[in-house]
Structures are given as C-alpha cells and as structure tokens.
Amino acid sequence: MSKQTAMINRYKWYEVISIYAAIAVFLFFVLAPFVEGFLVSLKPLSRLFSSPYRFWPEHGSFDAYFTMWDSVPNFGLYVFNSIFISTVVTVVVLILVVPAAYAFARFEFSGRGPLLAAFLAVNMFSGAVLLIPLFRLMRSLGILNTYAAMIVPGAAFLIPTAIWLLRTYMMRIPKELEEAAYVDGATRLYTLRRIILPLAMPGITVVAITTFIGAYAQQFIYALTFNSKTEFMPLPIGLFAYFGRQEVIWNELMAASFVGIAPALIVIFFLQRYLVSGLTAGAVK
Amino acid sequence: MGQLHLNKVTKSFGEIDVINGVTLDVKDGEFVVFVGPSGCGKSTLLRIIAGLEDATEGGIVIDGVKVNDLAPVKRGIAMVFQSYALYPHMSVFENIAFPLRVEKMPEADLKKKVESVAAVLKLDQRLQQRPGSLSGGQRQRVAIGRAIVREPKIFLFDEPLSNLDAALRADMRIELTKLHHDLAATMIYVTHDQIEAMTMADRIVVLNGGYISQVGKPLELYHKPQNKFVASFIGNPKMNFLPATCIAAKPEGVTVVCEGQTVTIPVEPRDGLTGEKLTLGIRPEHITLGAGDVKFDIVPSVVERLGVNTIVYASASGDAPFSAAFAGAAAVTVDTPATISFNAADCHLFDDKGEALERRTDLHEIDLEALNAV
C-alpha cells in the first residue's frame, strides 16, 4: 500500500463495495425525482408521453425555461413573494428565538420543562390540522389576504423547532464564559451581545437555514387558505398556474420548479459558509 | 486594601450542607490557599466570596463593608477560572481589555493599561492572536491578565494550574508567587494540590466536609497538625498511622506502647489519657533504616527509587499501607524484610476523636518567621 490509512479507516474490498452500493441506493431514491424532473423540463411537451418511454430526451432543449415566462407572466412575482415571505419569517423567527433559546438554555424558571415539552407537542400538529381555527383567527385580526396571513402562521410553527435547535447549541457554550463576564461587571444583555451571540453564530446559521427552508416549503397550505390575492401568491401556488383547463404544461412546470428553488439554493449556499465548527476552541482548557 | 472577613458562612444546596459555618479573616496583601479533597466545599466557598453563589447564612465583609448583596464587580474582586474562560472569538488584547470595555474606559487609557499588563505577563507579542492559538501556559496568563487589569482588591483563583502539565505548573507557581509579591494584593487561591498550597501560601486553610480543619502557616500545618485529617492531607507520601495504647501521661510527655515497644512522646499530656487507645502518626520521611526509639521489621512490597530518595511501601499492623521515605538510594529490595525505626520526637499522637495532642516542637527552632515572613 502506497498510502497508509489509520487502521480504523481500513476496509476489505467487499466492505468498500457494499458501502458504495448502499450510498448509490440511497442517492438514487433521493435524487431520481430531481433527475427525472430535470429531464422532463428539457423535453418538448409533445414528446413527453411518447411510447416507448425514453429516459433521455430526444430533441432536448432549454426552450421550456424561456416559454414558461410567457405562459405564466406573474411567475417572477411569485418567486419574489416566496423569497420575501421566507426572509421575513426567518428574520422574525431569529429575533424571537435567539433570546428565547438563551433563556431556555441558561435560566432556571418554573415551567421551563413543561414549556419545552409543549413546544415539542406543537410540532406534532401540522398547520393543516389547525387551518380552520387559524382562519378564524386571521379573520378576526383582519389580516386575511395580506402577506401577514402567510408570515404569522409560518413563523409561529417554525419557532418551536428553532428554539430546541438553538437551545441545544447554546447549552454547549461553557458556562464559565458567562460567569467570567459577570465577575467582570458585564450585564446579561452585554454578555449575550458580546459573548453568546458571536459564539452561537454557527447555531444561529443552522436555525436560519432550517427556518428559511421550512418557510419556503410550508407556504403552500397557508397561501391556499389565507390568501386569495394573486399579487401575494408564493411560488407553490404560482406553479399551479401551469395546470391549464385542458392539459398540464409539464415541461414548463418542471422548469419553473427548478427556477423557483434556485434562489433558496443560492441563499443556503452562502449561509453555509458561516457554519464553521470549532469556533469555541481555546475557550476552556 | 483588601481585607476579607467571613462570618459563620454556610451554604446548602437543598438538603445538602456544603459549607458548615466558616469563619475566617484574611489580612490585606495575604496569600491564602484553600486546600482540601474534592467535594470539601473549597470551590463553593470561593464562589461565595466572588458573588457567583449566595451564602445561605453568614456575612462576607470586604474592607469593612458587608458585600452579600453586591455584584462581583462591586465587591472589588477578580477571578481566574480553572478552565480559563477566555473568549475564543476575541484577540488576546480584547480578552484582557474586556473588563475595561465593560466599564467604558476611554480607548487611550485602555490601550495603555492592557499593554502594561501584557508586558508584565510577557504577552506583548501575542496581543493580536486568538486564545485558540496559544499554549496552555499563555492562556493561563491571559486569564490572569484579565483579572489584574482591573486592579481589584482581592484576587480569587479557582484551581488555575490544574489544566497544565507538571513542568509548566511548577513554572507558573513561581510566576504567581512573584506576581503576588509585585502586586502586593490579597489573593485567595483554591487547589487540591498540597504542593501548590505549601509553596505559595502565607496561610493555608484546610477544609474538610464544609468545615475548616485547620488554618495556619504551611510549616505549622506540617509540624503541628491539629487533627488526623490535616496530618494525613499535608505531606507526601501520607503520614503513617499506627495503633498505640497510652500507659502514662506525665509532664515530660505521653508514654505509649506501639508495636510492642514502650516510648515516651513529647506532647502536651491531658487528664484521663492513661489506658486510652491512641493513634501514633509518623511521617514517612522521618523513618530511617536501622536503630531508633521504636524499631520494627517491614516487608517492602513496592520500592520507588526517585534518586533524591527511595520510597518503600509495605503492609504494617495498621490497616492502611505503610510507607517510608529514605534519603538517597537505600539498600532495600522487594520481599526482603528490612528493619526500620523512628524517633519519639518526630511522632504525632491523636486521641480517639482524631484530635492531636499538641507537640512540643518549638516552631521558632525551624525559624518560621524568616521562612514565612508576611
């Protein structure tokens, strides 16, 4: 062997083959719909249901990526709405969750355990179960058919998970750091701002990403029920516009889906650079 | 000024009493070490002085002011933590400057202060680095820098050297002693390491189970331990304890039978001792090969040769293992019986409650004042 690896990382040839086979099976399940969707977006509509079925597109082209803008002229607005709603949800969630998670991680107060359990229980209900009460609530508040109708429930249902995630992260920050700051005269808020927030940044980034993705994915149900104005519609509803009365424009629908998730992908790509581990190295010991 | 007075301080966590009424006076400029086994309450006591824990009862008085309800910074204390507690996202400069930033000191003054502290601690070349890139000893110095930059009245150290390796620990011990001399500040230092206590302290407070076992200068604790706990805690290897029976208590000393031999030990006698079961304590380093006042045979089971001395472990009549330290390379081998002895003047005597009968060692003979001038 030219390159030495540690004993713990050495495998027999059949172990290597089974590891890669397992990865391949897993990846196939996860990625096949995406591959198929992408190939569909390249096919001309008339050839979609040609028999025999062909996996590789004949006469494949990116035409659908251009014609989709004509079939649904508002598509750009829907994408913008989606990003806008998700961004506002993420910001709102972060503003509320950072102090909350800190409190849950550090302060002893009565009802902390039950509250955390309640948050977990809320996660068991999807928003769909509560649609009718939510609808009545929105109506009483007078925010039906506004952005708020999608932002408020969106944020509300994402907060519990975010608190749990960030609380766990913050509990890993050594308590001595806060005690040292306290001994040096810093207030709780000063400590939160100067010590905890910078150290919790990777955790906050994870929460931001999951919240953004969550908000991006869950809009459908709220948008469908709480909003009937076209100009506020987000991406999932916008995709519905490709379902015509006679036929579904499958290739443009697939193209639109890929275009629609592109902004989210870009946001995540940039955020993940902040997921640096080992930021607390050198704090204690 | 940095006087500290603890008045009957107690601390309970629920049902468990951790500190059981500690009363102590610390003079200005004194280096006091709290020492004791794990769980004896020494760290808790320090945290109570710091203001990180509340005392359940009792008063903490610094320079005549009761500080029980004051925040740490108002008490005029600074603390160095066992884990250093450096802020990993800040440079060394910002770490040291942190307490000054909190009190919003003007930038120019702040810079001057941090730089002078860094010079004292030989950190001037490291100011722009992050704690993560420093060695253990340097991190420790940054933590100390953060404490001294505020010029507190009292420094509190919570086992600051326990994360360092042995060589570095010895170096830092010397540096801390020098620092104490230069700053002339009151320092309270918690450790479980009796070497640190013996070498650095002006006075040692031995804690056991939330009580103060004894307070005294290092050599006082070594030569005149007030009870069995202090006797066994101070000194390495530990003091040996042998069962003994008192047969007479006269003004010149207490006569006991130990290992079948009769010996008169120069300690203060007390009424009603005759016939009592006592415990005789003898330090391993006071045992010699060959003749002495009390002589008996041991069979060495382990022999450690350290060059400067030879330590022998054996089982004796007592239940605890028996150890002896002979100077240089002693002629003992494992499983070969050796005759050892000790002198009556080196012995300690403890009653059945573990309290010591005061030895007639004159501490002035070992020139305590010169050794330990405060």
Side-chain angles (χ1 to χ4, degrees):
Chain A
M1 264 172 79
S2 58
K3 207 174 80 180
Q4 287 289 321
T5 46
M7 273 313 286
I8 198 166
N9 288 328
R10 281 186 213 165
Y11 298 101
K12 298 271 186 341
W13 63 269
Y14 54 87
E15 286 173 327
V16 174
I17 288 176
S18 25
I19 288 167
Y20 278 96
I23 293 173
V25 168
F26 175 72
L27 281 183
F28 179 78
F29 268 102
V30 173
L31 292 181
F34 290 92
V35 175
E36 170 71 358
F38 181 64
L39 293 177
V40 165
S41 76
L42 297 182
K43 290 176 187 175
L45 193 56
S46 53
R47 300 249 173 194
L48 261 185
F49 300 101
S50 61
S51 184
Y53 178 80
R54 283 169 186 282
F55 190 66
W56 295 111
E58 280 177 295
H59 312 290
S61 74
F62 284 93
D63 283 350
Y65 287 87
F66 297 100
T67 56
M68 55 175 267
W69 303 97
D70 300 327
S71 316
V72 181
N74 274 340
F75 187 75
L77 181 65
Y78 300 148
V79 174
F80 168 80
N81 282 341
S82 261
I83 296 172
F84 175 73
I85 292 169
S86 300
T87 309
V88 174
V89 166
T90 307
V91 170
V92 168
V93 166
L94 284 184
I95 289 173
L96 295 175
V97 156
V98 169
Y102 181 57
F104 276 115
R106 280 293 191 266
F107 300 155
E108 297 278 345
F109 51 90
S110 50
R112 180 173 72 163
L115 260 176
L116 278 169
F119 280 136
L120 208 59
V122 167
N123 269 2
M124 293 178 198
F125 296 92
S126 81
V129 182
L130 302 168
L131 269 188
I132 293 169
L134 276 174
F135 185 85
R136 294 186 51 140
L137 192 67
M138 300 286 165
R139 198 177 52 188
S140 332
L141 292 173
I143 55 171
L144 281 179
N145 301 326
T146 60
Y147 278 126
M150 291 169 275
I151 290 168
V152 172
F157 280 94
L158 288 166
I159 282 175
T161 330
I163 286 182
W164 271 88
L165 261 179
L166 197 55
R167 171 179 171 265
T168 316
Y169 193 90
M170 282 180 165
M171 278 163 57
R172 280 176 37 199
I173 297 176
K175 219 172 182 172
E176 285 94 336
L177 294 185
E178 280 156 88
E179 290 180 342
Y182 176 59
V183 167
D184 287 339
T187 60
R188 278 279 184 188
L189 274 181
Y190 189 88
T191 311
L192 180 65
R193 189 162 58 84
R194 288 285 311 274
I195 313 291
I196 302 299
L197 279 191
L199 292 180
M201 225 44 215
I204 293 173
T205 312
V206 169
V207 169
I209 290 177
T210 49
T211 308
F212 189 85
I213 296 173
Y216 214 79
Q218 67 160 211
Q219 289 160 353
F220 182 69
I221 195 98
Y222 302 125
L224 206 60
T225 15
F226 304 144
N227 177 38
S228 51
K229 287 209 175 147
T230 323
E231 63 263 38
F232 297 147
M233 283 301 183
L235 176 70
I237 308 293
L239 291 177
F240 249 127
Y242 291 94
F243 289 71
R245 281 171 203 275
Q246 305 296 326
E247 59 175 354
V248 180
I249 319 169
W250 284 112
N251 55 352
E252 289 184 12
L253 176 64
M254 287 302 148
S257 304
F258 280 103
V259 172
I261 58 171
L265 277 180
I266 292 167
V267 169
I268 291 160
F269 182 79
F270 277 106
L271 278 182
Q272 67 151 12
R273 294 193 314 163
Y274 295 98
L275 294 175
V276 273
S277 57
L279 202 64
T280 51
V284 292
K285 246 188 46 164
Chain B
M1 285 295 281
Q3 284 174 326
L4 171 74
H5 173 63
L6 299 178
N7 185 21
K8 295 186 193 130
V9 171
T10 65
K11 174 73 183 174
S12 320
F13 291 106
E15 295 284 291
I16 304 151
D17 296 331
V18 183
I19 309 282
N20 299 304
V22 165
T23 299
L24 180 71
D25 270 304
V26 177
K27 291 191 288 257
D28 181 40
E30 208 175 2
F31 198 130
V32 170
V33 174
F34 292 173
V35 71
S38 324
C40 69
K42 56 193 190 299
S43 279
T44 310
L45 192 57
L46 193 78
R47 290 169 63 86
I48 290 173
I49 298 169
L52 288 168
E53 307 271 0
D54 283 329
T56 310
E57 271 173 62
I60 302 132
V61 180
I62 294 176
D63 284 349
V65 181
K66 192 173 177 191
V67 295
N68 283 43
D69 296 319
L70 290 183
V73 69
K74 297 257 170 65
R75 296 181 182 200
I77 59 101
M79 184 156 169
V80 176
F81 290 80
Q82 176 175 10
S83 57
Y84 317 153
L86 300 180
Y87 311 126
H89 57 297
M90 296 181 186
S91 64
V92 169
F93 182 94
E94 286 302 321
N95 263 287
I96 297 177
F98 187 86
L100 307 178
R101 295 244 186 255
V102 171
E103 59 187 53
K104 300 202 172 62
M105 180 179 274
E107 188 66 34
D109 299 357
L110 179 145
K111 199 158 181 279
K112 215 157 71 186
K113 272 203 143 180
V114 172
E115 275 166 3
S116 75
V117 165
V120 170
L121 296 171
K122 299 184 208 84
L123 285 167
D124 18 8
Q125 303 302 313
R126 310 267 171 200
L127 281 176
Q128 295 317 316
Q129 292 181 12
R130 296 274 170 94
S133 64
L134 301 180
S135 70
Q138 288 164 343
R139 284 180 202 175
Q140 184 58 68
R141 290 210 293 269
V142 177
I144 294 169
R146 194 172 61 189
I148 61 180
V149 75
R150 227 177 56 208
E151 295 169 11
K153 290 186 260 188
I154 300 178
F155 286 93
L156 307 175
F157 295 92
D158 188 3
E159 307 208 14
L161 306 186
S162 56
N163 284 340
L164 302 178
D165 61 56
L168 204 51
R169 203 178 304 168
D171 292 347
M172 285 303 291
R173 224 162 55 205
I174 296 164
E175 283 190 44
L176 272 175
T177 310
K178 276 189 203 150
L179 192 70
H180 174 241
H181 182 258
D182 295 345
L183 296 175
T186 310
M187 291 187 174
I188 297 175
Y189 187 105
V190 162
T191 182
H192 60 265
D193 181 350
Q194 48 135 336
I195 306 272
E196 282 176 26
M198 294 296 283
T199 51
M200 293 194 288
D202 293 327
R203 275 196 306 158
I204 297 177
V205 177
V206 183
L207 288 161
N208 182 25
Y211 291 97
I212 290 184
S213 242
Q214 188 173 353
V215 182
K217 294 176 179 177
L219 291 185
E220 205 177 320
L221 263 53
Y222 179 84
H223 289 291
K224 286 190 169 185
Q226 283 170 359
N227 48 53
K228 258 174 93 173
F229 177 79
V230 175
S232 68
F233 194 81
I234 302 291
N236 183 32
K238 280 186 180 183
M239 185 185 279
N240 299 300
F241 294 109
L242 301 168
T245 311
C246 178
I247 52 170
K250 295 186 202 117
E252 63 265 30
V254 174
T255 309
V256 294
V257 177
C258 177
E259 296 288 330
Q261 293 156 67
T262 306
V263 58
T264 301
I265 296 163
V267 295
E268 292 298 329
R270 200 172 68 192
D271 290 341
L273 271 178
T274 313
E276 288 283 307
K277 292 250 176 269
L278 301 178
T279 304
L280 182 146
I282 181 72
R283 294 196 183 276
E285 53 269 37
H286 294 144
I287 294 172
T288 47
L289 284 169
D293 294 347
V294 177
K295 191 166 93 175
F296 58 99
D297 287 348
I298 56 164
V299 181
S301 54
V302 174
V303 176
E304 292 174 345
R305 296 186 190 279
L306 300 176
V308 60
N309 54 21
T310 303
I311 298 168
V312 174
Y313 296 91
S315 42
S317 52
D319 41 2
F322 189 89
S323 59
F326 306 119
V332 276
T333 45
V334 173
D335 291 341
T336 309
T339 303
I340 58 164
S341 65
F342 53 83
N343 286 323
D346 293 325
C347 290
H348 302 247
L349 264 189
F350 304 95
D351 64 16
D352 54 350
K353 292 191 200 74
E355 297 297 317
L357 302 168
E358 196 188 338
R359 291 178 75 209
R360 293 232 176 99
T361 310
D362 189 359
L363 288 177
H364 292 289
E365 272 173 27
I366 45 178
D367 203 3
L368 200 62
E369 295 308 314
L371 287 171
N372 244 324
V374 179

